[in-house]
Amino acid sequence: MNLFIDWNIALNEEGGPNHVGNFCEAPVICDTRTGQINYKPSFYYIAHFSRHIKEHARRIATTCYSEKMEVTAFENPDSTIAVILLNRTTEKLPATLRLEGELFYVPCPPCSISTIVIKS
């Protein structure tokens, strides 16, 4: 099993509180002097994933035949399948999903995370 936990959800403008004195990044940075809240890209990634990958979802096998794309998929408790495609390149990439013999074409915009939810 692989697991990712963002250790700090919110930190102050100096990346703290921090017991070792280094600067950390977090999904939310709060400026304690001005009261301004800055939402970092990781905040939106977490929000995006939590909309489509439900509690108790299980990761299912995927195959990707390109070094330009990353893919993962989860089966949710309601039997929907959430497929997440990461395109880190600056070019639009084509993707074809195959599920139970059916093919689905998905254009992936440059520098994007695309999510496809397939209902059973």
PDB file of all heavy atoms in Angstrom, residues 8-13 24-32 34-44:
ATOM      1  N   ASN A   8       1.836  19.207   6.877  1.00  0.00           N
ATOM      2  CA  ASN A   8       1.340  20.498   7.339  1.00  0.00           C
ATOM      3  C   ASN A   8       0.257  20.987   6.392  1.00  0.00           C
ATOM      4  O   ASN A   8       0.520  21.249   5.234  1.00  0.00           O
ATOM      5  CB  ASN A   8       2.470  21.529   7.355  1.00  0.00           C
ATOM      6  CG  ASN A   8       3.578  21.124   8.285  1.00  0.00           C
ATOM      7  OD1 ASN A   8       3.368  20.984   9.463  1.00  0.00           O
ATOM      8  ND2 ASN A   8       4.756  20.911   7.739  1.00  0.00           N
ATOM      9  N   ILE A   9      -0.955  21.145   6.883  1.00  0.00           N
ATOM     10  CA  ILE A   9      -2.031  21.660   6.042  1.00  0.00           C
ATOM     11  C   ILE A   9      -1.961  23.180   5.976  1.00  0.00           C
ATOM     12  O   ILE A   9      -2.182  23.774   4.931  1.00  0.00           O
ATOM     13  CB  ILE A   9      -3.403  21.187   6.570  1.00  0.00           C
ATOM     14  CG1 ILE A   9      -3.501  19.665   6.483  1.00  0.00           C
ATOM     15  CG2 ILE A   9      -4.546  21.852   5.807  1.00  0.00           C
ATOM     16  CD1 ILE A   9      -3.403  19.102   5.076  1.00  0.00           C
ATOM     17  N   ALA A  10      -1.640  23.831   7.092  1.00  0.00           N
ATOM     18  CA  ALA A  10      -1.541  25.293   7.114  1.00  0.00           C
ATOM     19  C   ALA A  10      -0.320  25.703   7.940  1.00  0.00           C
ATOM     20  O   ALA A  10      -0.065  25.160   9.015  1.00  0.00           O
ATOM     21  CB  ALA A  10      -2.797  25.911   7.718  1.00  0.00           C
ATOM     22  N   LEU A  11       0.440  26.651   7.407  1.00  0.00           N
ATOM     23  CA  LEU A  11       1.614  27.200   8.091  1.00  0.00           C
ATOM     24  C   LEU A  11       1.567  28.718   8.017  1.00  0.00           C
ATOM     25  O   LEU A  11       0.841  29.300   7.208  1.00  0.00           O
ATOM     26  CB  LEU A  11       2.900  26.689   7.442  1.00  0.00           C
ATOM     27  CG  LEU A  11       3.177  25.188   7.553  1.00  0.00           C
ATOM     28  CD1 LEU A  11       4.406  24.810   6.740  1.00  0.00           C
ATOM     29  CD2 LEU A  11       3.338  24.763   9.004  1.00  0.00           C
ATOM     30  N   ASN A  12       2.408  29.354   8.837  1.00  0.00           N
ATOM     31  CA  ASN A  12       2.471  30.814   8.775  1.00  0.00           C
ATOM     32  C   ASN A  12       3.411  31.259   7.661  1.00  0.00           C
ATOM     33  O   ASN A  12       3.982  30.447   6.943  1.00  0.00           O
ATOM     34  CB  ASN A  12       2.866  31.395  10.138  1.00  0.00           C
ATOM     35  CG  ASN A  12       4.303  31.075  10.539  1.00  0.00           C
ATOM     36  OD1 ASN A  12       5.134  30.702   9.718  1.00  0.00           O
ATOM     37  ND2 ASN A  12       4.585  31.231  11.821  1.00  0.00           N
ATOM     38  N   GLU A  13       3.576  32.560   7.517  1.00  0.00           N
ATOM     39  CA  GLU A  13       4.357  33.130   6.420  1.00  0.00           C
ATOM     40  C   GLU A  13       5.829  32.728   6.441  1.00  0.00           C
ATOM     41  O   GLU A  13       6.527  32.854   5.443  1.00  0.00           O
ATOM     42  CB  GLU A  13       4.236  34.679   6.420  1.00  0.00           C
ATOM     43  CG  GLU A  13       4.894  35.369   7.596  1.00  0.00           C
ATOM     44  CD  GLU A  13       4.065  35.372   8.875  1.00  0.00           C
ATOM     45  OE1 GLU A  13       2.924  34.886   8.889  1.00  0.00           O
ATOM     46  OE2 GLU A  13       4.580  35.881   9.882  1.00  0.00           O
ATOM     47  N   CYS A  24       9.105  25.339   5.546  1.00  0.00           N
ATOM     48  CA  CYS A  24       8.290  24.290   4.954  1.00  0.00           C
ATOM     49  C   CYS A  24       7.212  24.905   4.079  1.00  0.00           C
ATOM     50  O   CYS A  24       6.829  26.055   4.258  1.00  0.00           O
ATOM     51  CB  CYS A  24       7.621  23.449   6.039  1.00  0.00           C
ATOM     52  SG  CYS A  24       8.784  22.522   7.049  1.00  0.00           S
ATOM     53  N   GLU A  25       6.718  24.099   3.158  1.00  0.00           N
ATOM     54  CA  GLU A  25       5.609  24.482   2.304  1.00  0.00           C
ATOM     55  C   GLU A  25       4.371  23.763   2.810  1.00  0.00           C
ATOM     56  O   GLU A  25       4.459  22.703   3.418  1.00  0.00           O
ATOM     57  CB  GLU A  25       5.916  24.075   0.855  1.00  0.00           C
ATOM     58  CG  GLU A  25       4.861  24.409  -0.140  1.00  0.00           C
ATOM     59  CD  GLU A  25       4.728  25.888  -0.468  1.00  0.00           C
ATOM     60  OE1 GLU A  25       5.541  26.710  -0.003  1.00  0.00           O
ATOM     61  OE2 GLU A  25       3.792  26.227  -1.186  1.00  0.00           O
ATOM     62  N   ALA A  26       3.214  24.348   2.582  1.00  0.00           N
ATOM     63  CA  ALA A  26       1.953  23.731   2.989  1.00  0.00           C
ATOM     64  C   ALA A  26       0.877  24.136   1.982  1.00  0.00           C
ATOM     65  O   ALA A  26       1.047  25.108   1.251  1.00  0.00           O
ATOM     66  CB  ALA A  26       1.571  24.197   4.389  1.00  0.00           C
ATOM     67  N   PRO A  27      -0.224  23.405   1.951  1.00  0.00           N
ATOM     68  CA  PRO A  27      -1.312  23.778   1.046  1.00  0.00           C
ATOM     69  C   PRO A  27      -1.884  25.171   1.331  1.00  0.00           C
ATOM     70  O   PRO A  27      -2.366  25.839   0.435  1.00  0.00           O
ATOM     71  CB  PRO A  27      -2.364  22.698   1.286  1.00  0.00           C
ATOM     72  CG  PRO A  27      -1.574  21.520   1.757  1.00  0.00           C
ATOM     73  CD  PRO A  27      -0.465  22.103   2.569  1.00  0.00           C
ATOM     74  N   VAL A  28      -1.809  25.602   2.599  1.00  0.00           N
ATOM     75  CA  VAL A  28      -2.317  26.920   2.977  1.00  0.00           C
ATOM     76  C   VAL A  28      -1.231  27.651   3.763  1.00  0.00           C
ATOM     77  O   VAL A  28      -0.691  27.108   4.728  1.00  0.00           O
ATOM     78  CB  VAL A  28      -3.601  26.804   3.834  1.00  0.00           C
ATOM     79  CG1 VAL A  28      -4.117  28.176   4.227  1.00  0.00           C
ATOM     80  CG2 VAL A  28      -4.670  26.005   3.111  1.00  0.00           C
ATOM     81  N   ILE A  29      -0.915  28.862   3.314  1.00  0.00           N
ATOM     82  CA  ILE A  29       0.029  29.706   4.050  1.00  0.00           C
ATOM     83  C   ILE A  29      -0.747  30.909   4.587  1.00  0.00           C
ATOM     84  O   ILE A  29      -1.416  31.618   3.834  1.00  0.00           O
ATOM     85  CB  ILE A  29       1.198  30.193   3.155  1.00  0.00           C
ATOM     86  CG1 ILE A  29       1.985  28.996   2.596  1.00  0.00           C
ATOM     87  CG2 ILE A  29       2.104  31.156   3.894  1.00  0.00           C
ATOM     88  CD1 ILE A  29       2.753  28.204   3.637  1.00  0.00           C
ATOM     89  N   CYS A  30      -0.673  31.117   5.894  1.00  0.00           N
ATOM     90  CA  CYS A  30      -1.392  32.201   6.550  1.00  0.00           C
ATOM     91  C   CYS A  30      -0.398  33.284   6.972  1.00  0.00           C
ATOM     92  O   CYS A  30       0.556  32.999   7.690  1.00  0.00           O
ATOM     93  CB  CYS A  30      -2.130  31.690   7.780  1.00  0.00           C
ATOM     94  SG  CYS A  30      -3.272  30.340   7.420  1.00  0.00           S
ATOM     95  N   ASP A  31      -0.625  34.497   6.510  1.00  0.00           N
ATOM     96  CA  ASP A  31       0.223  35.622   6.912  1.00  0.00           C
ATOM     97  C   ASP A  31      -0.349  36.180   8.207  1.00  0.00           C
ATOM     98  O   ASP A  31      -1.410  36.816   8.208  1.00  0.00           O
ATOM     99  CB  ASP A  31       0.248  36.689   5.826  1.00  0.00           C
ATOM    100  CG  ASP A  31       1.290  37.758   6.093  1.00  0.00           C
ATOM    101  OD1 ASP A  31       1.509  38.113   7.274  1.00  0.00           O
ATOM    102  OD2 ASP A  31       1.893  38.239   5.122  1.00  0.00           O
ATOM    103  N   THR A  32       0.330  35.924   9.308  1.00  0.00           N
ATOM    104  CA  THR A  32      -0.179  36.325  10.618  1.00  0.00           C
ATOM    105  C   THR A  32      -0.125  37.832  10.817  1.00  0.00           C
ATOM    106  O   THR A  32      -0.807  38.361  11.688  1.00  0.00           O
ATOM    107  CB  THR A  32       0.604  35.627  11.746  1.00  0.00           C
ATOM    108  OG1 THR A  32       1.987  35.960  11.634  1.00  0.00           O
ATOM    109  CG2 THR A  32       0.428  34.119  11.665  1.00  0.00           C
ATOM    110  N   THR A  34      -0.804  40.191   8.272  1.00  0.00           N
ATOM    111  CA  THR A  34      -1.853  40.855   7.490  1.00  0.00           C
ATOM    112  C   THR A  34      -3.191  40.124   7.537  1.00  0.00           C
ATOM    113  O   THR A  34      -4.205  40.684   7.125  1.00  0.00           O
ATOM    114  CB  THR A  34      -1.432  40.963   6.010  1.00  0.00           C
ATOM    115  OG1 THR A  34      -1.362  39.649   5.451  1.00  0.00           O
ATOM    116  CG2 THR A  34      -0.095  41.677   5.865  1.00  0.00           C
ATOM    117  N   GLY A  35      -3.188  38.862   7.972  1.00  0.00           N
ATOM    118  CA  GLY A  35      -4.399  38.070   7.984  1.00  0.00           C
ATOM    119  C   GLY A  35      -4.739  37.458   6.627  1.00  0.00           C
ATOM    120  O   GLY A  35      -5.763  36.808   6.469  1.00  0.00           O
ATOM    121  N   GLN A  36      -3.872  37.652   5.641  1.00  0.00           N
ATOM    122  CA  GLN A  36      -4.109  37.125   4.296  1.00  0.00           C
ATOM    123  C   GLN A  36      -3.835  35.621   4.264  1.00  0.00           C
ATOM    124  O   GLN A  36      -2.892  35.137   4.878  1.00  0.00           O
ATOM    125  CB  GLN A  36      -3.218  37.835   3.287  1.00  0.00           C
ATOM    126  CG  GLN A  36      -3.480  37.422   1.864  1.00  0.00           C
ATOM    127  CD  GLN A  36      -2.656  38.237   0.875  1.00  0.00           C
ATOM    128  OE1 GLN A  36      -1.798  39.011   1.247  1.00  0.00           O
ATOM    129  NE2 GLN A  36      -2.937  38.048  -0.395  1.00  0.00           N
ATOM    130  N   ILE A  37      -4.672  34.911   3.527  1.00  0.00           N
ATOM    131  CA  ILE A  37      -4.509  33.473   3.356  1.00  0.00           C
ATOM    132  C   ILE A  37      -4.145  33.205   1.911  1.00  0.00           C
ATOM    133  O   ILE A  37      -4.801  33.692   0.997  1.00  0.00           O
ATOM    134  CB  ILE A  37      -5.794  32.725   3.747  1.00  0.00           C
ATOM    135  CG1 ILE A  37      -6.090  32.952   5.227  1.00  0.00           C
ATOM    136  CG2 ILE A  37      -5.676  31.241   3.440  1.00  0.00           C
ATOM    137  CD1 ILE A  37      -7.406  32.381   5.688  1.00  0.00           C
ATOM    138  N   ASN A  38      -3.084  32.408   1.705  1.00  0.00           N
ATOM    139  CA  ASN A  38      -2.600  32.086   0.360  1.00  0.00           C
ATOM    140  C   ASN A  38      -2.761  30.587   0.142  1.00  0.00           C
ATOM    141  O   ASN A  38      -2.156  29.789   0.844  1.00  0.00           O
ATOM    142  CB  ASN A  38      -1.130  32.511   0.233  1.00  0.00           C
ATOM    143  CG  ASN A  38      -0.591  32.303  -1.157  1.00  0.00           C
ATOM    144  OD1 ASN A  38      -1.325  32.030  -2.087  1.00  0.00           O
ATOM    145  ND2 ASN A  38       0.714  32.436  -1.279  1.00  0.00           N
ATOM    146  N   TYR A  39      -3.608  30.231  -0.821  1.00  0.00           N
ATOM    147  CA  TYR A  39      -3.819  28.826  -1.150  1.00  0.00           C
ATOM    148  C   TYR A  39      -2.825  28.421  -2.224  1.00  0.00           C
ATOM    149  O   TYR A  39      -2.821  28.961  -3.315  1.00  0.00           O
ATOM    150  CB  TYR A  39      -5.253  28.601  -1.628  1.00  0.00           C
ATOM    151  CG  TYR A  39      -6.266  28.879  -0.548  1.00  0.00           C
ATOM    152  CD1 TYR A  39      -6.879  30.118  -0.450  1.00  0.00           C
ATOM    153  CD2 TYR A  39      -6.578  27.903   0.387  1.00  0.00           C
ATOM    154  CE1 TYR A  39      -7.795  30.376   0.556  1.00  0.00           C
ATOM    155  CE2 TYR A  39      -7.489  28.156   1.396  1.00  0.00           C
ATOM    156  CZ  TYR A  39      -8.097  29.393   1.474  1.00  0.00           C
ATOM    157  OH  TYR A  39      -8.997  29.654   2.466  1.00  0.00           O
ATOM    158  N   LYS A  40      -1.982  27.449  -1.913  1.00  0.00           N
ATOM    159  CA  LYS A  40      -0.935  26.976  -2.817  1.00  0.00           C
ATOM    160  C   LYS A  40      -1.500  25.894  -3.750  1.00  0.00           C
ATOM    161  O   LYS A  40      -2.568  25.347  -3.501  1.00  0.00           O
ATOM    162  CB  LYS A  40       0.231  26.412  -2.007  1.00  0.00           C
ATOM    163  CG  LYS A  40       0.806  27.392  -1.000  1.00  0.00           C
ATOM    164  CD  LYS A  40       1.266  28.650  -1.689  1.00  0.00           C
ATOM    165  CE  LYS A  40       2.751  28.752  -1.595  1.00  0.00           C
ATOM    166  NZ  LYS A  40       3.300  29.901  -2.232  1.00  0.00           N
ATOM    167  N   PRO A  41      -0.775  25.560  -4.833  1.00  0.00           N
ATOM    168  CA  PRO A  41      -1.276  24.541  -5.763  1.00  0.00           C
ATOM    169  C   PRO A  41      -1.643  23.214  -5.095  1.00  0.00           C
ATOM    170  O   PRO A  41      -2.633  22.588  -5.474  1.00  0.00           O
ATOM    171  CB  PRO A  41      -0.119  24.371  -6.748  1.00  0.00           C
ATOM    172  CG  PRO A  41       0.534  25.717  -6.771  1.00  0.00           C
ATOM    173  CD  PRO A  41       0.444  26.200  -5.336  1.00  0.00           C
ATOM    174  N   SER A  42      -0.893  22.785  -4.092  1.00  0.00           N
ATOM    175  CA  SER A  42      -1.204  21.499  -3.451  1.00  0.00           C
ATOM    176  C   SER A  42      -2.588  21.510  -2.790  1.00  0.00           C
ATOM    177  O   SER A  42      -3.242  20.469  -2.692  1.00  0.00           O
ATOM    178  CB  SER A  42      -0.124  21.120  -2.437  1.00  0.00           C
ATOM    179  OG  SER A  42       0.011  22.116  -1.452  1.00  0.00           O
ATOM    180  N   PHE A  43      -3.073  22.677  -2.352  1.00  0.00           N
ATOM    181  CA  PHE A  43      -4.425  22.780  -1.789  1.00  0.00           C
ATOM    182  C   PHE A  43      -5.453  22.358  -2.832  1.00  0.00           C
ATOM    183  O   PHE A  43      -6.379  21.598  -2.552  1.00  0.00           O
ATOM    184  CB  PHE A  43      -4.704  24.214  -1.334  1.00  0.00           C
ATOM    185  CG  PHE A  43      -6.119  24.430  -0.865  1.00  0.00           C
ATOM    186  CD1 PHE A  43      -6.471  24.154   0.443  1.00  0.00           C
ATOM    187  CD2 PHE A  43      -7.081  24.917  -1.730  1.00  0.00           C
ATOM    188  CE1 PHE A  43      -7.783  24.349   0.876  1.00  0.00           C
ATOM    189  CE2 PHE A  43      -8.392  25.115  -1.307  1.00  0.00           C
ATOM    190  CZ  PHE A  43      -8.736  24.832   0.003  1.00  0.00           C
ATOM    191  N   TYR A  44      -5.267  22.841  -4.066  1.00  0.00           N
ATOM    192  CA  TYR A  44      -6.210  22.536  -5.139  1.00  0.00           C
ATOM    193  C   TYR A  44      -6.098  21.083  -5.600  1.00  0.00           C
ATOM    194  O   TYR A  44      -7.092  20.473  -5.980  1.00  0.00           O
ATOM    195  CB  TYR A  44      -6.021  23.519  -6.292  1.00  0.00           C
ATOM    196  CG  TYR A  44      -6.323  24.929  -5.842  1.00  0.00           C
ATOM    197  CD1 TYR A  44      -5.298  25.818  -5.541  1.00  0.00           C
ATOM    198  CD2 TYR A  44      -7.634  25.344  -5.646  1.00  0.00           C
ATOM    199  CE1 TYR A  44      -5.575  27.096  -5.093  1.00  0.00           C
ATOM    200  CE2 TYR A  44      -7.918  26.623  -5.185  1.00  0.00           C
ATOM    201  CZ  TYR A  44      -6.888  27.490  -4.913  1.00  0.00           C
ATOM    202  OH  TYR A  44      -7.165  28.751  -4.444  1.00  0.00           O
TER     203      TYR A  44
END
